[in-house]
Amino acid sequence: MIDELRELFKYKDLVKQLVIRDLKVRYKNSVLGFFWSLLNPLIQVATITIVVKYILALDIANYSAYLLVGYLPWVFFQMALLDSSDVIILHHRDLLKKVYFPREVLPLSSVIANLIHFGLALVVFFAYLLFYYFFLHGSPIMPTVLWLPVLIVMQTLLITGLAFFLSCMNMFFEDTKYVLTVLLNVFFYLTPVMYVAELVFTKIPEAHRGLLYKLYLLNPLNMLTDAYRKILLPPFHATRMRGEEISSLPLDYAMLGVCAVVCLLVAIAGYRFFNARKWQFAERV
Amino acid sequence: MNHAIRLSHITKRFRLIQEMPGSLKAAVLSFKRPPVKELLALDDVSISIDHGETVAIIGRNGSGKSTILRIIGRVYLPSSGEIEVNGRMSTMLDLGAGFHPELTGRENIYFNAAIMGLSTAQIKNKFQDIIDFSELDDFIDTPVKSYSAGMLMRLGFAVAVETEPDILLIDEVLAVGDAEFQEKCYERIDSFKAAGKTIVFVTHDLEAAKKVASRTIWLNKGVLQADGDTHAAIEDYLSHKA
């Protein structure tokens, strides 16, 4: 694997060019450019906020901020996987048949392009936070924000591993993308994006709560979503419909460490899976 | 013993694509796998090519000429056998290979160079040479998708040779150029030879083979039929055909 990585490193300029091309093509011919891809999550967040606050009538103070902080990483996850799963077949099938280059640059550049998006979305999120703190609370951004790069690295590793696996599977079974779309729909609700992880915690029978909740956090999606929320926003205040208080739990740093290992293992496993099959792609397209 | 290219006992089988389950449904439903049809594209081919040699590969359609070039160019892995390549390769395995249709000629020079593993800095020095050689000054800022076959060939060949590889692989693309440009390409190939570089090209143009290559390999249905002096190999090939 080390040799493969060294070879990949030689082609870093190719990755750079593919990423730039990806970003250029996406924003070409649209006046609002980048804002289109930001507008979508913002409208989603506004819609979900209205549904939760006024139709389901859950009382969570500043719900939209807690939602947005989970939704932006989710969009990164979703878009990166959808883009990378068919990037080879859709855009680069001719290249595969005619030129040698490390095949992994293709899914990798899709992931990186989406990472850059996510970075831009976070900038807007911070602008929103500043506005929100400044005008509404006057409290500063918390020092735990320093964990943010760590979380981004972890999430990127997770996504890269899955992207390698999916883009490879898609070369052999073109339904991979459809299965992925279904799974993403399911996991959007299973992951604590629209709600906080504490709600799941309170639903676990008390006898097994400690262990089962740790198992729940073993899913890196759950852990990461929870962690983004906790490092970027202060503990929430929420009451359920029957007036029951839900208290905010502290961030489980031990599980975050475990999660980092899981993300790294996913990345390595995905890369190995991809490498073992990448030279068959040219015969499959 | 430092060869530019060494193929030992290369065999390549292709599984015929329509026999493969193309979807999960088909994979799940086919409890009994259909007998896999295989195509033997190359059958135990061994070739050594030294630095500085210019070798033509001839043979009828479907004889494995392009397959062998793609195996040398690392696009396909052989089913069995070993390959050794010493030196940096430039490949022209098809018209517009390594170009992105949406990008302009200028952007594609960078893109193509990046695909060959060169950095932007390395290609910058060669930029003017490439444009000069291809004679495409007027079209260099036009997207490549509107290029003609001849223009694609010009740009592809220019990038392939001006980046100064040690080994050049060309698959039959020169035929689309006009006579004058073809002449220019063969002149460039001659100076390439003079500089001690290695060239392997697939061609149906036997006159071109005679003109450029000192050695010719004739493949017939995946089997190495002749390997040696160009005139002798071509005579063999022509008499076999008749």
Side-chain angles (χ1 to χ4, degrees):
Chain A
M1 200 171 92
I2 301 296
D3 287 344
E4 309 264 5
L5 280 173
R6 199 172 291 146
E7 179 75 358
L8 177 61
F9 186 72
K10 277 195 223 157
Y11 282 80
K12 56 183 185 307
D13 275 50
L14 180 57
V15 175
K16 201 170 97 189
Q17 292 212 25
L18 285 167
V19 170
I20 292 171
R21 204 193 65 80
D22 188 292
L23 295 174
K24 252 191 200 165
V25 169
R26 195 174 310 197
Y27 300 132
K28 218 168 61 179
N29 309 328
S30 64
V31 184
L32 287 177
F34 166 68
F35 290 96
W36 278 122
S37 56
L38 208 71
L39 212 57
N40 189 26
L42 289 180
I43 288 172
Q44 280 281 347
V45 163
T47 312
I48 299 173
T49 303
I50 290 168
V51 170
V52 167
K53 284 202 104 158
Y54 299 103
I55 300 177
L56 294 176
L58 278 185
D59 185 23
I60 301 180
N62 303 312
Y63 175 71
S64 64
Y66 290 94
L67 173 60
L68 190 60
V69 80
Y71 194 70
L72 293 179
W74 172 262
V75 170
F76 173 32
F77 182 77
Q78 179 180 30
M79 293 310 293
L81 292 190
L82 285 174
D83 281 356
S84 57
S85 65
D86 60 2
V87 63
I88 302 178
I89 278 199
L90 218 54
H91 301 297
H92 299 288
R93 50 166 75 216
D94 281 347
L95 279 184
L96 280 190
K97 276 190 112 92
K98 298 167 186 171
V99 213
Y100 166 87
F101 59 91
R103 277 26 179 157
E104 54 269 37
V105 301
L106 299 176
L108 196 61
S109 53
S110 287
V111 171
I112 293 175
N114 277 289
L115 173 65
I116 291 173
H117 264 309
F118 178 49
L120 292 172
L122 279 179
V123 170
V124 177
F125 174 74
F126 276 114
Y128 167 86
L129 269 194
L130 277 179
F131 172 85
Y132 172 87
Y133 280 133
F134 194 76
F135 287 98
L136 304 172
H137 291 275
S139 49
I141 287 179
M142 307 187 301
T144 46
V145 72
L146 293 174
W147 279 95
L148 185 61
V150 178
L151 296 189
I152 294 176
V153 168
M154 283 166 64
Q155 195 188 357
T156 306
L157 281 174
L158 175 72
I159 290 174
T160 307
L162 294 175
F164 280 140
F165 176 75
L166 290 166
S167 60
C168 184
M169 283 299 284
N170 203 50
M171 295 304 293
F172 297 95
F173 302 107
E174 284 190 41
D175 335 35
T176 304
K177 176 131 190 190
Y178 302 110
V179 176
L180 173 67
T181 312
V182 172
L183 284 179
L184 282 171
N185 270 326
V186 171
F187 272 90
F188 175 68
Y189 294 101
L190 292 183
T191 306
V193 174
M194 283 173 61
Y195 51 90
V196 291
E198 281 80 353
L199 277 174
V200 176
F201 183 76
T202 57
K203 288 289 175 199
I204 302 174
E206 247 171 272
H208 312 288
R209 198 171 268 175
L211 182 68
L212 286 178
Y213 190 63
K214 286 220 184 292
L215 274 177
Y216 174 75
L217 290 182
L218 204 55
N219 174 349
L221 273 179
N222 296 342
M223 182 71 240
L224 285 169
T225 310
D226 186 50
Y228 274 115
R229 190 168 280 141
K230 283 181 174 142
I231 63 155
L232 292 176
L233 294 176
F236 60 86
H237 300 285
T239 17
R240 269 256 195 62
M241 275 169 261
R242 278 155 292 171
E244 174 193 354
E245 285 262 339
I246 301 159
S247 50
S248 186
L249 294 169
L251 181 57
D252 189 338
Y253 284 98
M255 282 311 288
L256 192 62
V258 174
C259 178
V261 175
V262 172
C263 291
L264 185 64
L265 289 179
V266 169
I268 293 173
Y271 193 41
R272 295 188 85 111
F273 185 87
F274 188 91
N275 278 341
R277 291 161 183 81
K278 64 180 171 184
W279 299 114
Q280 296 170 28
F281 297 171
E283 293 167 36
R284 296 300 314 240
V285 291
Chain B
M1 284 287 281
N2 194 7
H3 298 286
I5 299 165
R6 205 164 65 112
L7 305 178
S8 38
H9 304 290
I10 295 291
T11 295
K12 180 68 191 176
R13 285 184 205 88
F14 287 109
R15 287 206 269 170
L16 290 183
I17 210 101
Q18 62 267 33
E19 299 291 342
M20 311 272 268
S23 66
L24 283 175
K25 185 180 138 206
V28 171
L29 289 183
S30 60
F31 295 109
K32 223 168 63 181
R33 283 182 168 259
V36 178
K37 266 194 190 166
E38 284 196 338
L39 175 83
L40 189 61
L42 290 174
D43 187 5
D44 194 28
V45 175
S46 297
I47 301 168
S48 295
I49 296 171
D50 284 329
H51 286 289
E53 273 196 290
T54 300
V55 179
I57 301 178
I58 59 171
R60 303 192 54 184
N61 292 336
S63 59
K65 305 184 297 294
S66 296
T67 305
I68 205 163
L69 216 55
R70 282 172 192 205
I71 283 179
I72 299 172
R74 296 188 291 177
V75 174
Y76 292 154
L77 278 186
S79 307
S80 66
E82 274 174 38
I83 335 159
E84 188 191 323
V85 175
N86 295 304
R88 206 179 67 73
M89 260 188 295
S90 251
T91 60
M92 260 189 101
L93 298 182
D94 202 349
L95 279 179
F99 288 150
H100 197 285
E102 297 291 332
L103 298 179
T104 66
R106 187 185 299 279
E107 291 166 324
N108 259 308
I109 293 177
Y110 288 111
F111 187 69
N112 198 219
I115 276 191
M116 291 195 276
L118 297 175
S119 69
T120 314
Q122 280 170 301
I123 196 68
K124 241 175 194 144
N125 304 320
K126 310 281 180 199
F127 202 80
Q128 201 51 48
D129 293 341
I130 292 171
I131 298 180
D132 288 346
F133 188 90
S134 66
E135 301 167 16
L136 288 171
D137 309 66
D138 298 342
F139 304 98
I140 204 69
D141 290 311
T142 308
V144 155
K145 64 181 172 189
S146 51
Y147 277 27
S148 69
M151 289 159 79
L152 280 176
M153 188 277 273
R154 281 167 180 247
L155 193 61
F157 189 81
V159 177
V161 296
E162 294 297 341
T163 48
E164 292 176 6
D166 305 308
I167 300 166
L168 183 60
L169 306 181
I170 306 176
D171 190 354
E172 242 179 329
V173 291
L174 300 185
V176 300
D178 55 48
E180 200 183 326
F181 194 77
Q182 270 192 39
E183 197 51 44
K184 191 169 162 185
C185 291
Y186 287 121
E187 269 168 32
R188 193 70 179 75
I189 286 176
D190 274 336
S191 71
F192 225 73
K193 272 163 71 175
K197 314 266 187 168
T198 311
I199 302 159
V200 182
F201 68 108
V202 164
T203 187
H204 284 293
D205 180 354
L206 301 178
E207 290 311 310
K210 280 181 192 166
K211 198 159 57 180
V212 185
S214 49
R215 175 178 166 193
T216 293
I217 288 166
W218 165 28
L219 286 174
N220 187 24
K221 291 178 184 157
V223 180
L224 187 71
Q225 200 86 18
D227 176 4
D229 173 69
T230 295
H231 288 271
I234 287 176
E235 237 165 71
D236 260 10
Y237 172 57
L238 290 176
S239 61
H240 184 268
K241 231 174 167 178

